[in-house]
């Protein structure tokens, strides 16, 4: 049983598209830079797990750019899993698996997803509680193969401070909805 978190609407914008495909404007904007960064730091071969894959836009770009990795997308939300599979079907990539259900904040998931050479998480840590984040990172550590890498992308405070006015507004908005 999963405990799906209700995210503030502006924190997880995904618009309906063709069929089951959802489209997140933010994913369209940051897929390029994230893919470029991962091409520099990801292992060339092995197995990769993406947590909280959202619409599937990122994992399609990553699987295309890093063909030596076998990519497993995952999501807690069934509508988003359907979107991931729809984007994947359109892309037709042999190294991209069907989306699997995974609550990244639930203790124990690493037992089912072990031996990963790469784990990627984009834009979830800022939306969950500190205890949930600790579980997520602890499970990811358990799921990594020796020398495997966990890559986190998202807005981070530096010395407790946001680094842009946009991040400051977003932070205040998230806090106002759930302190
Ligand atoms: C802000 S969106 C980011 C989606 C995608 N990574 C991106 O950057 O476009 C957060 C995603 O986390 C998913 N999510 C929320 N709680 C989750 C959990 N406990 N485990 C896994 N995914 C979760 C939501 O369904 C949503 O797709």
């Amino acid at each position: 049983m999963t405990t799906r978190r209700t995210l503030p609407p502006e924190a997880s914008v995904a618009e309906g598209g063709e069929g089951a495909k959802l489209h997140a404007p933010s994913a369209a904007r940051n897929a390029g830079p994230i893919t470029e960064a991962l091409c520099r730091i990801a292992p060339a071969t092995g197995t990769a797990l993406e947590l909280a894959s959202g619409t599937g836009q990122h994992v399609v770009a990553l699987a295309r750019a890093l063909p030596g990795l076998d990519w497993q997308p995952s999501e807690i939300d069934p509508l988003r899993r359907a979107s991931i599979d729809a984007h994947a079907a359109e892309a037709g990539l042999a190294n991209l698996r069907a989306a699997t259900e995974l609550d990244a904040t639930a203790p124990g998931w690493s037992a089912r997803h072990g031996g990963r050479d790469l784990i990627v998480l984009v834009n979830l840590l800022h939306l969950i509680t500190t205890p949930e984040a600790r579980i997520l990172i602890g499970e990811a550590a358990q799921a990594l193969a020796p020398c495997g890498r966990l890559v986190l992308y998202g807005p981070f405070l530096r010395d407790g401070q946001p680094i842009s006015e946009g991040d400051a507004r977003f932070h205040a908005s998230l806090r106002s909805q759930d302190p």
Side-chain angles (χ1 to χ4, degrees):
M1 166 121 160
T2 55
T3 50
R4 185 172 174 232
R5 171 162 289 269
T6 306
L7 302 176
E10 77 275 26
S12 183
V13 177
E15 298 153 354
E18 198 187 311
K21 276 196 293 180
L22 298 171
H23 178 85
S26 65
R29 282 194 302 275
N30 61 26
I34 289 171
T35 304
E36 272 173 39
L38 274 163
C39 285
R40 289 198 301 273
I41 56 182
T45 58
T47 61
L49 171 68
E50 188 187 30
L51 303 171
S53 296
T55 60
Q57 288 159 270
H58 286 149
V59 80
V60 165
L62 292 170
R64 192 175 279 132
L66 292 157
L69 286 168
D70 186 60
W71 285 88
Q72 174 64 68
S74 69
E75 243 292 330
I76 198 169
D77 178 348
L79 287 179
R80 295 194 184 214
R81 290 199 298 277
S83 173
I84 296 162
D85 290 342
H87 279 283
E90 185 183 73
L93 298 166
N95 62 329
L96 179 50
R97 294 181 179 239
T100 192
E101 179 177 1
L102 198 165
D103 177 351
T105 64
W109 62 255
S110 58
R112 299 189 308 281
H113 296 282
R116 301 291 164 162
D117 301 289
L118 177 68
I119 299 178
V120 178
L121 174 65
V122 177
N123 279 334
L124 180 62
L125 274 192
H126 60 296
L127 302 174
I128 60 178
T129 64
T130 300
E132 287 171 327
R134 286 186 193 284
I135 292 170
L136 187 156
I137 292 170
E139 290 296 327
Q142 294 293 320
L144 285 174
C147 300
R149 291 186 170 184
L150 168 64
V151 176
L152 303 171
Y153 172 99
F156 287 89
L157 300 173
R158 310 282 162 92
D159 295 328
Q161 298 302 319
I163 58 164
S164 69
E165 281 191 16
D167 275 6
R169 276 196 301 278
F170 188 38
H171 185 63
S173 155
L174 292 177
R175 287 273 186 200
S176 73
Q177 291 169 70
D178 185 344

